[in-house]
């Protein structure tokens, strides 16, 4: 779609200014850059109601500019690519508002997908399935179906030679690509029967089973949904690693059992999943199937199972914090080695140390000590301030717990193993001796001193 005016659209100048051709955008500057181009895109979006043809042309120009700019952007965050996809969504909306031909719109979309060297159209069908109107979605499906059938026929016709086999593999990959696109569009349509037919034709995946199960739930057929859930879990059992879809299937299964009036089986299923991965999320999921009168007993059973055996320590700590099990958290900390405590992430450790300080100061001290040591051993000087705060907490907690000898062991260990960290030791000395740190002038005080008579250069 092009304009007939001989005069350039003034918004085109804004697009060029925002894209700033010739300037490289680093990863750190990408979010600010994307924010600036989004402001121009928002202005184009406001034109859709009154002048949709103009808006569509500007969206198309903007997208072309993004392809020209792509080599000058470090898009490690993916934000620029997402912005480009948002332009495609806006372009579709404008085309539809202008009553443009749906077949032409979708033909252009496919052309962009075919020549997408920067991945702006990667799995585009998932993004635009809810943007296309009924006529546009039907046209898109029809054109992709044609590509799928052509690739499928070419795959079938491939011969048995090595060269033909390589061509067959390429054709099959193309066929599966378009089959995946079709499934996304059928799912957006809610066309269950056609989706199932295509999935059976190409071989259902775990993702297919999840999609079909969810569509059946929407139709109010939990029994059939359950059969697809079990089929998906069976497929996933043969994978070396569980898929993301399998996690959703595992959560969906007990819900369906409960809907079918099989509450005890639902609870058993949720319990089996919890025992495999005891954490705060599987705990919450489990407790939704526990009768109110049995919640206390099941809570104890769940926490005991989490503490039993070789478990992922950070997940168990988060679970104990989530369930206010401070006493058991203290016992777990007391039974855990210093090296293991050092492996806990900062967020969970800080929460655990803070929760344990009032009633279990000795265990809190060990967690604070572990975090301080963790930073020192990593040798990241920019985090030394955090390490010092951890050691301050540790000293206070050791004192409250009546364990001065253990604090002295920490001090000796720091001096022995980290005695060359000169940017850290002076401030650590102040913690050890209990002296107030030397007050440092504020940033503004230092800045003002530059203009004082003694500081004039």
């Amino acid at each position: 779609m092009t304009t007939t005016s001989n005069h350039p659209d003034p918004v085109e100048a804004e697009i060029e200014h925002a894209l700033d051709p010739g300037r490289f955008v680093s990863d750190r500057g990408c979010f600010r850059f994307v924010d600036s181009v989004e402001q121009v895109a928002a202005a184009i979006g406001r034109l859709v109601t009154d002048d949709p043809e103009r808006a569509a042309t500007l969206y198309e120009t903007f997208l072309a500019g993004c392809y020209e700019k792509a080599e000058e952007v470090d898009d490690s965050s993916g934000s620029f690519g997402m912005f480009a996809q948002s332009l495609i969504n806006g372009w579709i909306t404008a085309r539809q508002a202008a009553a443009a031909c749906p077949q032409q719109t979708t033909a252009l979309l496919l052309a962009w997908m075919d020549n997408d060297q920067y991945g702006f159209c990667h799995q585009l069908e998932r993004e635009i399935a809810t943007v296309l109107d009924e006529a546009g979605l039907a046209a898109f499906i029809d054109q992709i179906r044609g590509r799928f059938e052509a690739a499928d026929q070419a795959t079938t016709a491939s011969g048995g030679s090595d060269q033909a086999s390589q061509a067959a593999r390429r054709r099959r990959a193309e066929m599966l690509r378009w089959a995946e696109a079709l499934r996304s569009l059928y799912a957006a349509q809610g066309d269950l029967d056609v989706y199932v037919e295509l999935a059976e034709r190409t071989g259902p995946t775990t993702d297919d089973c999840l999609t079909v199960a969810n569509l059946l739930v929407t139709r109010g057929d939990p029994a059939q949904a359950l059969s697809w859930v079990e089929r998906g879990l069976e497929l996933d059992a043969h994978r070396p690693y569980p898929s993301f879809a399998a996690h959703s299937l595992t959560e969906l299964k007990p819900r369906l059992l409960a809907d079918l009036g099989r509450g005890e089986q639902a609870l058993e299923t949720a319990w089996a999943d919890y025992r495999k991965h005891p954490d705060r999320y599987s705990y919450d999921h489990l407790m939704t199937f526990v009768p109110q009168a049995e919640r206390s007993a099941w809570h104890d059973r769940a926490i005991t199972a989490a503490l039993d055996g070789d478990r992922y320590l950070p997940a168990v700590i988060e679970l104990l914090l989530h369930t206010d099990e401070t006493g058991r958290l203290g016992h777990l900390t007391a039974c855990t080695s210093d090296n293991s405590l050092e492996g806990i992430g900062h967020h969970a450790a800080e929460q655990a140390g803070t929760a344990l300080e009032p009633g279990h100061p000795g265990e809190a001290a060990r967690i604070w000590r572990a975090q301080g040591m963790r930073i020192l051993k990593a040798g990241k000087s920019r985090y030394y301030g955090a390490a010092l705060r951890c050691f301050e907490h540790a000293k206070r907690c050791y004192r409250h717990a009546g364990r001065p000898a253990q604090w002295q062991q920490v001090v000796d260990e720091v001096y022995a193993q980290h005695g060359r960290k000169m940017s850290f030791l002076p401030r650590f000395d102040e913690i050890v001796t209990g002296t107030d740190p030397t007050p440092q002038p504020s940033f503004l005080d230092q800045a003002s001193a530059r203009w004082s008579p003694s500081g004039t250069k």
Side-chain angles (χ1 to χ4, degrees), residues 224-402:
Q224 284 296 315
L226 179 60
S227 68
W228 278 91
V229 166
E230 291 173 338
R231 185 177 182 180
L233 292 174
E234 175 63 25
L235 285 172
D236 206 72
H238 298 288
R239 292 169 51 98
Y241 302 102
S243 65
F244 289 110
H247 176 74
S248 298
L249 289 168
T250 301
E251 286 195 340
L252 182 57
K253 183 176 180 177
R255 283 174 42 203
L256 295 173
L257 289 168
D259 290 343
L260 292 167
R262 296 155 64 179
E264 290 186 6
Q265 193 175 352
L267 179 56
E268 290 174 3
T269 302
W271 172 242
D273 178 56
Y274 172 83
R275 294 189 66 184
K276 292 178 184 177
H277 308 285
D279 58 27
R280 59 177 299 181
Y281 305 105
S282 58
Y283 170 87
D284 287 343
H285 187 241
L286 167 68
M287 297 305 285
T288 60
F289 302 100
V290 175
Q292 187 65 36
E294 301 175 24
R295 291 181 68 86
S296 178
W298 272 96
H299 167 79
D300 287 338
R301 186 178 181 185
I303 298 303
T304 300
L307 293 169
D308 184 29
D310 185 17
R311 301 298 188 188
Y312 181 54
L313 183 62
V316 175
I317 288 177
E318 288 189 352
L319 170 63
L320 295 175
L321 289 167
H322 179 62
T323 56
D324 294 324
E325 286 284 358
T326 308
R328 284 172 165 167
L329 176 59
H331 178 73
L332 174 64
T333 304
C335 298
T336 302
S337 68
D338 288 338
N339 286 338
S340 296
L341 290 177
E342 290 175 17
I344 303 171
H346 167 74
H347 180 69
E350 183 172 345
Q351 285 188 311
T354 302
L356 288 172
E357 280 194 23
H360 306 271
E363 284 64 45
R366 292 189 62 227
I367 289 180
W368 291 121
R369 171 252 169 229
Q371 285 300 293
M373 289 296 186
R374 180 171 179 253
I375 295 171
L376 288 182
K377 289 179 180 179
K380 296 180 179 179
S381 59
R382 64 180 179 276
Y383 297 129
Y384 283 172
L388 290 163
R389 288 191 294 274
C390 289
F391 285 124
E392 285 181 321
H393 281 289
K395 178 182 179 180
R396 184 178 65 252
C397 290
Y398 277 126
R399 184 175 66 248
H400 289 169

Side-chain angles (χ1 to χ4, degrees), residues 3-42:
T3 59
T4 58
S5 171
N6 293 324
H7 301 287
D9 193 307
V11 179
E12 291 180 356
E14 296 181 31
I15 292 173
E16 182 173 0
H17 177 74
L19 288 173
D20 198 4
R23 179 179 71 87
F24 180 77
V25 180
S26 67
D27 179 42
R28 293 182 62 182
C30 193
F31 284 109
R32 180 177 295 179
F33 169 71
V34 169
D35 182 64
S36 66
V37 293
E38 282 178 340
Q39 292 180 36
V40 180

Side-chain angles (χ1 to χ4, degrees), residues 22-274:
R23 179 179 71 87
F24 180 77
V25 180
S26 67
D27 179 42
R28 293 182 62 182
C30 193
F31 284 109
R32 180 177 295 179
F33 169 71
V34 169
D35 182 64
S36 66
V37 293
E38 282 178 340
Q39 292 180 36
V40 180
I44 298 174
R46 290 190 287 272
L47 298 173
V48 172
T49 302
D50 297 327
D51 195 349
E53 290 189 6
R54 178 189 175 197
T57 300
L58 288 169
Y59 275 126
E60 201 167 324
T61 300
F62 211 160
L63 182 63
C66 287
Y67 276 102
E68 289 295 315
K69 183 68 179 179
E71 292 285 352
E72 300 175 351
V73 180
D74 180 352
D75 192 28
S76 299
S77 65
S79 58
F80 186 55
M82 288 188 288
F83 168 73
Q85 285 204 347
S86 74
L87 292 178
I88 298 174
N89 292 346
W91 176 79
I92 293 171
T93 302
R95 292 268 303 183
Q96 291 175 163
C101 174
Q103 287 75 18
Q104 291 179 356
T105 298
T106 53
L108 279 169
L109 285 171
L110 284 170
W112 292 345
M113 293 169 71
D114 289 338
N115 299 281
D116 182 37
Q117 65 268 43
Y118 298 112
F120 293 161
C121 297
H122 178 64
Q123 295 183 331
L124 181 65
E125 64 278 357
R126 298 183 182 183
E127 179 72 19
I128 65 174
T130 57
V131 180
L132 288 166
D133 59 18
E134 185 176 350
L137 187 57
F140 202 36
I141 289 175
D142 184 62
Q143 293 179 21
I144 291 180
R145 182 88 191 190
R147 291 190 173 207
F148 165 73
E149 295 292 353
D152 188 32
Q153 291 174 9
T155 300
T156 304
S158 297
S161 67
D162 289 343
Q163 184 176 0
S165 296
Q166 292 176 8
R169 285 193 292 270
R170 289 194 298 270
R171 289 295 186 185
R172 178 167 175 78
E174 183 180 358
M175 181 267 291
L176 292 176
R177 163 73 183 95
W178 296 121
E180 181 184 2
L182 279 175
R183 288 197 293 268
S184 296
L185 297 172
Y186 289 147
Q189 276 188 321
D191 197 336
L192 175 63
D193 295 336
V194 180
Y195 188 103
V196 171
E197 177 189 351
L198 180 61
E200 296 288 8
R201 180 174 172 181
T202 58
T205 65
T206 310
D207 290 286
D208 288 330
C209 294
L210 176 62
T211 300
V212 173
N214 284 326
L215 289 172
L216 287 164
V217 169
T218 303
R219 284 192 176 188
D221 192 347
Q224 284 296 315
L226 179 60
S227 68
W228 278 91
V229 166
E230 291 173 338
R231 185 177 182 180
L233 292 174
E234 175 63 25
L235 285 172
D236 206 72
H238 298 288
R239 292 169 51 98
Y241 302 102
S243 65
F244 289 110
H247 176 74
S248 298
L249 289 168
T250 301
E251 286 195 340
L252 182 57
K253 183 176 180 177
R255 283 174 42 203
L256 295 173
L257 289 168
D259 290 343
L260 292 167
R262 296 155 64 179
E264 290 186 6
Q265 193 175 352
L267 179 56
E268 290 174 3
T269 302
W271 172 242
D273 178 56
Y274 172 83

